[in-house]
Amino acid sequence: MTAPTETQQLMSVRAGVLPGALEKAKAARDRRTYLLLLLPAILGLFATFLLPLGYMVKMSFDRGAPDGVIESAFTLDSYVRALSDPYYWQVIWNTFQMGIIVGVLCVLVSYPIALFLVRTRSRFRGLLMAVAVAPLLTSAIVRTYGWMVILGSNGLVNSSLHSMGLIDAPLKLTNNMTGVEIGLVEIFMPYAILTMVSGFGRLSSQLEEAAGSLGANGFQVFARITLPLSLPGVLASFLMVFVLTISTFVTPTLLGGGTVQVLATEIYDQTTGVLNWPFAAALSVILLALFGAIIAVYQRLTRKIGG
Amino acid sequence: MTVLPQLAPLRKVNPVNSANTVGSSKLSIVDLTKRYAPGLEPAVDRLCMDVEEGHLVALLGPSGCGKTTTLRMVAGLMDPTAGSIVVDGKDITQTPVNKRGMGMVFQSYALFPHMDVAQNVAFGLQMRKVPSGEQAKRVNAALEMVKLAHLSKRKVRELSGGQQQRIALARALVVEPTLLLLDEPLSNLDAKLRETMRSEIRSIQQRTKATTLFVTHDQDEALDMADRIAVMNGGLIEQYDTPAMVYERPTTRFVADFIGQANFLTAQVLSENGQAADGERYYKVEVGGLGRYSAVGAPGLAGSSREIVIRPHRLRASLHPRPGDDAIAGTIERVSYTGDTIAFAVRVGDRRLLAQSMTSSADMPRTGDAAYLSWEAADAFLLPGHIRGSGT
Amino acid sequence: MGFYTKYRTAATALAAASVLALSACGGGSTPQAGSSTSGEVNIIAYASVWQDQYTAAVIKPFEAKFPNIKVNYVAKRSSADMLSALQGQKSKPNTDVAIMDQSVSQSGNQQGLFAKIDQSTVPNLANVPDKFKDKNGYGPVDMLDAIGLVYDTKTFPTPPSSWNALWDKSNCGKVNVVAPPSLLGLSLTAITSNMQGEDYTKSIDKGVAKLKQLAPCIQTFSPQPDEYQNVITGQTVLGLGQNARGQFYADQTGKKIGVAFPKEGTAYQINTINLIKNAPHSAAANTFINYALSAEAQEAFAKDLFYAPSVSNAVLPADVKSRVVPTDGSLKILPLDVDFMASIRDKWTQTWKQEIIPAK
């Protein structure tokens, strides 16, 4: 019972002194297996994502004519136009700003919920989790319409504020950026919560208990243990919401009342209204660059946190 | 501690019921009860226990016996349903965990993964607002104590299990805790390392004179490390005594069975047969269907029915009985060789008894042999408790 | 008034020019695929109400008449969606017929997505007046509609007679327009510019200044779910809309909503019917197109969804005729031809986004 068994000793010996060559051969074999297993996914990704993406990038260098004709070419016209016009810089800035604001607000309101879901020992935990993500079962369009009703000048918010005597004239909560941001925060909350719940892996009640036993009060436990350990989840969640926000087009269109100009709505207009697809493609590539920039920042930050 | 523990009442071992005992103990647990939900069986049931200053006490028992629940209530991580916890004469039952000043080592070590080794160890000192110069000194001293000062800048995840264990210990001890609480600290280590860490923890504990409560399900750990062992079962303490007494003089069949291996024989105690050591008596006993033998036990057992406990290594298996010895004839069913010892399973009627001897003996039976099992009267111990279900 | 005459002259001149162009081009016929009386026809056209009404008024009777031809309808939300679908299957089309906005079909013509339509296989083409034929022989106009003012009938017991109603302060905050690149917004730009006495083909500065005055009173530049529902639900009382759907919803809602053509004139919304190049069932498709251009089908669709017929032999009952856009010159129509629209669409869209909408 107390002495290590023969097998255990053998195992520790083998783990310690396995010759490097053998290890390398095994690693190579493993890599081949992984590659083989990944192949269907890679092919699928290639056909459904990379190929269309490549086509889009190629199209962004084509020459677009206002009548919808696309002339195969290699020209930077679309990029020059997008990047030399202050209007599009404004649109890019609007997009970025909207992503940051919605991302921050969404993470702020989702954080307590995610923390609760991770920590609760209630037997209804599964049910609560389902309730938190249930909004995903209805489409973003339906929920956006819901917000239009709630936020409208005769909507729930304005009429209750008015009946409480807090406002005289209805607040302008729809057909502007405010409405879009309110709607997006709610719409992306399930994503934020899900991402955080799965990103809170390093949190454990034992760590908080350990901090408590070492003399930390509730606030110190949160500030020194819970918050730092949940940061990777928070960052991933922010990234998720940011990316979803800057690429969403439905809610800005529906709740923005035509006054919210972001890259996604601009791309939509260029594609379906103006029929200048190369220009739309160039704007899409710019949007992708925005993604890339934020992902690079994200990776920097996670490396710093995960250290 | 002059009262013979094996004679103490079963339910309440060393009850803290007078002011003088409170004053002499570092920790007193009084009638501590935890019921997770009304209507459920209590996880810890009116538990009483004193721990002396500087002692290491093991809470030993199978999983679900209430030992971890007890520890968590002492730590302040869990509220008791009833009862009180007294440390240094002060009732701390209502004191929140962060004001108790205890040091706890968790089963998973619970090192903070976002801090390096030194930051982990310094955490408790920071919470106590210890000046940073002194912090550094004490952190270093604590790391020296666990021989890991050279790893102070390492990330937690770069450490081995044993190293994490030591850091957790250093982190708990650096704050000079009123009590050191260890929750199964060795269960995540491999067998070899476990033994090294046992002696290391014990020696650190003795050096620092930290009064320690130690939860384990491993009897060897408890026997090896503890000054006192509280054997727990079903929310109760079955026996609270020194390792030697718990092993040699178990008060209940559960304790005898849980600590090491044991042979049980039901016997009718016939008559006293003289004085034995420590106030015990020799008895003539009748073991059903086998004959009359000698055994030892507390005074006043004559005329009752009791269980005899004989440890396997106190049973000698031989091909020929030694003249004058008590012996039982049986058949060797199985012989297992483990290097330094050899174990026999011996069929005696419908019973199966275990015997163990050193492997040097020449008179060594083999499987299928008819053999004799013999023992000395002082090694056949009559359990003080009544046999469950029997009237007397 | 002088302007009106001037533009009417311009419109006539344009129409005349297209006649000349048409007579110049012969329009070569392409070999036909499949049987003209059996098989199937895959058509791509608008979704929702349009699909329902077109199916009931045209497709069902066609299938009754040609029981061996099955019509499959693929619905798209917009003409641009149709165009992108057709571009995707350019090398191997599986669609035969497309009904879409003229500006988009024109782009399709230039991209070589469509085949020319020949009177020998589509005899009813003879009944399409020259002004509604494509000057190069591609798909002709199938139906016409025009931009009007949709209004809440309670607020407007008498229909608004002028576009100026949009600027009326008493409606401020309860007015919607649909901003470009929607045809509605583009048309309003031309109409406003025209009302300000500008030649919108040269400059729209005065129109833009006028529209900037309107912007603060606009509730939304992108009505949701659409411009008609906004009026029906009482969210707005006045807005831009198309006559056909406005008339349709007026009937549906017991005249809660009305639609009117203001006296200053308006602009058409035109749908063409097009044969896809290398269509898999081009013979049956020609049969369908021929039926779609028949007086019977055109009258039926006019009755159901109030689009004006494009064929000269369609005769509408008086109560329908008064509710479809006049094509006889009795209503002033600003000529916004396809090429002109293509040349200003992007520019005007940006003008709205950068100048007019921010003035809100």
Side-chain angles (χ1 to χ4, degrees):
Chain A
M1 174 146 329
T2 55
T5 65
E6 203 180 20
T7 341
Q8 279 170 325
Q9 279 176 332
L10 239 165
M11 273 166 57
S12 56
V13 168
R14 282 225 314 254
V17 297
L18 193 73
L22 255 174
E23 222 160 37
K24 256 181 224 158
K26 187 173 176 300
R29 202 163 57 238
D30 284 351
R31 232 185 341 263
R32 264 202 304 281
T33 317
Y34 294 148
L35 272 179
L36 211 64
L37 287 170
L38 275 174
L39 201 62
I42 290 172
L43 284 179
L45 200 66
F46 182 77
T48 61
F49 179 67
L50 291 178
L51 214 59
L53 191 67
Y55 186 69
M56 188 188 83
V57 172
K58 180 188 163 290
M59 188 186 275
S60 71
F61 294 109
D62 286 342
R63 189 171 284 118
D67 51 11
V69 176
I70 299 164
E71 189 192 318
S72 220
F74 184 86
T75 166
L76 291 170
D77 285 1
S78 297
Y79 290 98
V80 168
R81 180 183 156 197
L83 297 176
S84 61
D85 186 337
Y87 170 72
Y88 289 105
W89 281 107
Q90 184 64 45
V91 167
I92 292 168
W93 171 242
N94 290 349
T95 309
F96 182 76
Q97 201 184 17
M98 180 174 84
I100 297 286
I101 290 174
V102 172
V104 168
L105 290 179
C106 200
V107 163
L108 277 181
V109 294
S110 305
Y111 185 79
I113 299 174
L115 207 56
F116 171 78
L117 284 173
V118 165
R119 293 156 56 121
T120 182
R121 297 219 184 94
S122 160
R123 62 201 153 106
F124 299 115
R125 182 173 184 266
L127 187 71
L128 293 171
M129 190 80 194
V131 168
V133 300
L136 290 179
L137 296 176
T138 53
S139 83
I141 301 182
V142 173
R143 287 196 280 154
T144 303
Y145 276 121
W147 277 110
M148 289 167 67
V149 174
I150 293 168
L151 298 175
S153 37
N154 303 320
L156 194 66
V157 174
N158 273 317
S159 55
S160 20
L161 287 178
H162 188 72
S163 65
M164 285 189 284
L166 293 174
I167 51 168
D168 294 330
L171 299 175
K172 279 196 187 327
L173 296 175
T174 52
N175 296 327
N176 54 23
M177 191 56 118
T178 314
V180 173
E181 283 164 356
I182 292 173
L184 286 177
V185 166
E186 187 273 336
I187 285 164
F188 291 143
M189 267 177 70
Y191 297 98
I193 292 171
L194 272 183
T195 318
M196 278 196 249
V197 164
S198 60
F200 284 174
R202 292 204 298 173
L203 274 187
S204 89
S205 54
Q206 284 219 331
L207 294 177
E208 293 172 1
E209 288 177 352
S213 76
L214 288 166
N217 62 28
F219 174 76
Q220 287 168 322
V221 170
F222 178 78
R224 297 288 309 271
I225 308 298
T226 314
L227 186 62
L229 288 177
S230 60
L231 268 188
V234 167
L235 269 186
S237 178
F238 171 82
L239 179 76
M240 179 93 175
V241 175
F242 179 89
V243 166
L244 286 170
T245 299
I246 66 173
S247 59
T248 187
F249 125 83
V250 171
T251 307
T253 307
L254 298 191
L255 272 169
T259 62
V260 172
Q261 322 294 355
V262 288
L263 278 170
T265 55
E266 201 62 39
I267 291 166
Y268 180 81
D269 282 350
Q270 286 295 331
T271 312
T272 64
V274 182
L275 297 181
N276 191 339
W277 289 12
F279 188 59
L283 290 178
S284 304
V285 172
I286 290 170
L287 187 60
L288 271 179
L290 205 54
F291 283 150
I294 203 82
I295 286 173
V297 172
Y298 166 79
Q299 285 188 328
R300 267 262 156 102
L301 282 177
T302 45
R303 212 169 303 142
K304 215 169 194 177
I305 291 171
Chain B
M1 292 295 288
T2 50
V3 185
L4 271 184
Q6 72 266 33
L7 299 178
L10 254 183
R11 290 263 146 163
K12 297 195 176 180
V13 181
N14 295 344
V16 181
N17 47 16
S18 57
N20 60 346
T21 48
V22 169
S24 66
S25 303
K26 181 73 178 175
L27 165 70
S28 290
I29 296 172
V30 187
D31 275 338
L32 195 65
T33 301
K34 179 69 188 181
R35 213 180 275 273
Y36 282 105
L40 283 186
E41 283 292 302
V44 173
D45 192 3
R46 286 164 291 162
L47 184 132
C48 295
M49 178 172 155
D50 279 5
V51 176
E52 274 181 48
E53 176 96 51
H55 267 191
L56 189 156
V57 169
L59 295 172
L60 173 68
S63 59
C65 71
K67 56 189 192 296
T68 297
T69 305
T70 304
L71 190 82
R72 290 174 63 81
M73 286 193 283
V74 173
L77 298 172
M78 196 181 268
D79 292 326
T81 313
S84 54
I85 298 159
V86 178
V87 173
D88 292 328
K90 222 177 82 200
D91 187 323
I92 58 154
T93 317
Q94 302 303 323
T95 309
V97 52
N98 56 314
K99 300 266 190 281
R100 291 199 181 185
M102 299 184 182
M104 182 149 174
V105 174
F106 291 79
Q107 186 171 4
S108 63
Y109 317 135
L111 295 179
F112 307 130
H114 56 303
M115 301 180 190
D116 66 22
V117 166
Q119 287 168 332
N120 262 280
V121 177
F123 189 84
L125 299 174
Q126 287 168 6
M127 293 303 121
R128 285 165 175 73
K129 308 227 159 38
V130 173
S132 62
E134 193 192 332
Q135 262 185 41
K137 246 178 270 165
R138 283 171 68 176
V139 166
N140 196 53
L143 289 173
E144 293 281 0
M145 179 181 66
V146 296
K147 302 181 191 122
L148 288 178
H150 59 292
L151 296 182
S152 70
K153 290 293 155 219
R154 282 286 176 86
K155 288 278 165 196
V156 167
R157 60 176 151 76
E158 295 163 358
L159 303 179
S160 71
Q163 290 169 333
Q164 291 193 26
Q165 159 69 247
R166 287 168 211 231
I167 300 302
L169 194 62
R171 185 177 70 177
L173 283 171
V174 75
V175 298
E176 289 164 6
T178 51
L179 279 179
L180 178 63
L181 307 175
L182 309 173
D183 183 11
E184 303 256 13
L186 302 173
S187 64
N188 285 344
L189 301 177
D190 66 57
K192 186 113 184 175
L193 192 56
R194 210 179 304 167
E195 262 185 297
T196 328
M197 281 312 296
R198 255 193 223 167
S199 52
E200 194 154 331
I201 290 179
R202 178 60 167 163
S203 82
I204 289 172
Q205 186 265 331
Q206 284 174 332
R207 257 186 288 145
T208 55
K209 298 192 176 58
T211 311
T212 304
L213 214 51
F214 178 101
V215 162
T216 181
H217 64 271
D218 185 329
Q219 36 148 343
D220 291 328
E221 254 169 50
L223 291 171
D224 183 9
M225 296 169 70
D227 294 301
R228 294 285 184 278
I229 297 176
V231 182
M232 290 186 70
N233 184 31
L236 303 165
I237 291 184
E238 295 257 346
Q239 186 170 2
Y240 180 43
D241 211 327
T242 61
M245 288 303 280
V246 166
Y247 187 80
E248 301 289 348
R249 291 293 179 261
T251 52
T252 66
R253 181 177 170 129
F254 174 83
V255 173
D257 205 21
F258 191 77
I259 313 271
Q261 287 180 304
N263 293 299
F264 295 98
L265 293 168
T266 307
Q268 192 64 36
V269 184
L270 300 175
S271 59
E272 253 189 56
N273 195 18
Q275 288 278 345
D278 298 328
E280 292 182 328
R281 304 282 187 277
Y282 288 113
Y283 291 100
K284 271 278 166 229
V285 298
E286 165 94 38
V287 179
L290 292 177
R292 298 191 169 190
Y293 301 97
S294 295
V296 71
L301 297 180
S304 66
S305 193
R306 286 288 189 274
E307 275 184 301
I308 302 175
V309 185
I310 311 172
R311 297 293 182 190
H313 67 276
R314 309 283 197 196
L315 266 186
R316 205 168 38 248
S318 54
L319 289 169
H320 308 287
R322 266 206 309 227
D325 266 7
D326 283 340
I328 299 176
T331 314
I332 304 289
E333 250 184 10
R334 190 175 135 73
V335 179
S336 46
Y337 176 79
T338 60
D340 43 1
T341 64
I342 188 157
F344 304 94
V346 185
R347 171 68 51 189
V348 178
D350 54 355
R351 296 182 179 85
R352 193 174 195 236
L353 300 180
L354 299 172
Q356 211 175 11
S357 12
M358 293 300 175
T359 45
S360 58
S361 171
D363 185 24
M364 199 64 70
R366 268 172 281 194
T367 308
D369 285 351
Y372 294 89
L373 292 171
S374 56
W375 65 87
E376 282 167 28
D379 294 330
F381 177 64
L382 288 161
L383 288 177
H386 289 295
I387 297 170
R388 226 157 279 177
S390 85
T392 43
Chain C
M1 279 301 143
F3 290 107
Y4 289 0
T5 350
K6 187 174 162 192
Y7 282 105
R8 203 166 291 158
T9 323
T12 323
L14 250 156
S18 44
V19 173
L20 280 172
L22 210 113
S23 53
C25 301
S29 69
T30 43
Q32 299 221 57
S35 156
S36 62
T37 54
S38 65
E40 55 184 345
V41 178
N42 299 326
I43 87 164
I44 193 168
Y46 300 100
S48 68
V49 175
W50 205 97
Q51 178 180 12
D52 299 342
Q53 300 310 313
Y54 197 74
T55 304
V58 182
I59 294 175
K60 289 289 167 217
F62 171 77
E63 284 180 328
K65 207 165 183 175
F66 298 91
N68 294 325
I69 302 181
K70 164 111 185 58
V71 178
N72 305 310
Y73 194 114
V74 176
K76 294 284 174 189
R77 284 191 322 151
S78 72
S79 298
D81 285 353
M82 297 179 215
L83 184 72
S84 82
L86 295 175
Q87 281 175 334
Q89 45 180 267
K90 189 175 180 184
S91 57
K92 196 172 182 305
N94 51 36
T95 308
D96 301 294
V97 176
I99 303 175
M100 54 164 64
D101 188 88
Q102 192 178 29
S103 62
V104 180
S105 69
Q106 179 87 345
S107 170
N109 291 342
Q110 293 181 5
Q111 295 177 46
L113 292 173
F114 298 127
K116 294 186 179 182
I117 291 182
D118 189 6
Q119 202 163 309
S120 64
T121 48
V122 182
N124 283 335
L125 196 58
N127 300 320
V128 179
D130 288 345
K131 62 179 175 179
F132 295 149
K133 284 180 183 161
D134 182 82
K135 56 183 185 282
N136 297 319
Y138 291 106
V141 174
D142 191 10
M143 59 205 72
L144 299 94
D145 194 15
I147 317 304
L149 276 174
V150 289
Y151 59 92
D152 172 39
T153 49
K154 258 204 221 97
T155 316
F156 295 91
T158 54
S161 61
S162 165
W163 294 103
N164 281 320
L166 288 171
W167 280 264
D168 188 336
K169 284 289 172 220
S170 56
N171 303 323
C172 191
K174 303 216 121 206
V175 181
N176 278 356
V177 301
V178 189
S182 162
L183 180 70
L184 294 171
L186 293 170
S187 302
L188 181 66
T189 314
I191 291 165
T192 310
S193 181
N194 181 254
M195 283 165 65
Q196 297 303 105
E198 271 177 320
D199 176 0
Y200 57 78
T201 59
K202 296 197 171 67
S203 161
I204 54 167
D205 292 351
K206 285 182 186 163
V208 169
K210 179 82 174 161
L211 286 167
K212 276 159 114 171
Q213 293 167 18
L214 176 61
C217 285
I218 300 296
Q219 194 182 78
T220 166
F221 295 93
S222 167
Q224 302 299 338
D226 63 34
E227 47 276 27
Y228 315 99
Q229 299 309 318
N230 275 208
V231 175
I232 293 165
T233 57
Q235 214 177 320
T236 55
V237 297
L238 188 65
L240 296 182
Q242 282 184 229
N243 173 64
R245 279 166 213 238
Q247 297 288 358
F248 177 80
Y249 287 123
D251 287 356
Q252 294 272 306
T253 58
K255 308 287 178 196
K256 222 179 159 322
I257 184 176
V259 55
F261 293 126
K263 59 179 190 281
E264 294 93 346
T266 183
Y268 279 138
Q269 188 270 315
I270 297 170
N271 288 327
T272 55
I273 186 162
N274 304 280
L275 174 66
I276 279 78
K277 194 177 198 170
N278 301 324
H281 318 97
S282 60
N286 277 319
T287 309
F288 180 81
I289 293 170
N290 192 50
Y291 181 76
L293 294 174
S294 70
E296 176 192 347
Q298 296 256 325
E299 286 161 13
F301 194 56
K303 281 176 204 157
D304 272 17
L305 199 59
F306 306 99
Y307 271 84
S310 64
V311 296
S312 53
N313 58 336
V315 181
L316 300 181
D319 61 325
V320 177
K321 194 168 171 42
S322 64
R323 296 176 67 187
V324 305
V325 61
T327 54
D328 56 3
S330 63
L331 178 69
K332 180 183 171 187
I333 302 292
L334 300 187
L336 288 172
D337 74 85
V338 174
D339 293 331
F340 172 69
M341 290 298 271
S343 67
I344 52 80
R345 190 182 285 117
D346 200 16
K347 210 170 83 198
W348 288 12
T349 301
Q350 291 309 319
T351 305
W352 274 77
K353 284 185 178 169
Q354 297 181 36
E355 295 181 46
I356 298 171
I357 294 174
K360 186 187 173 180

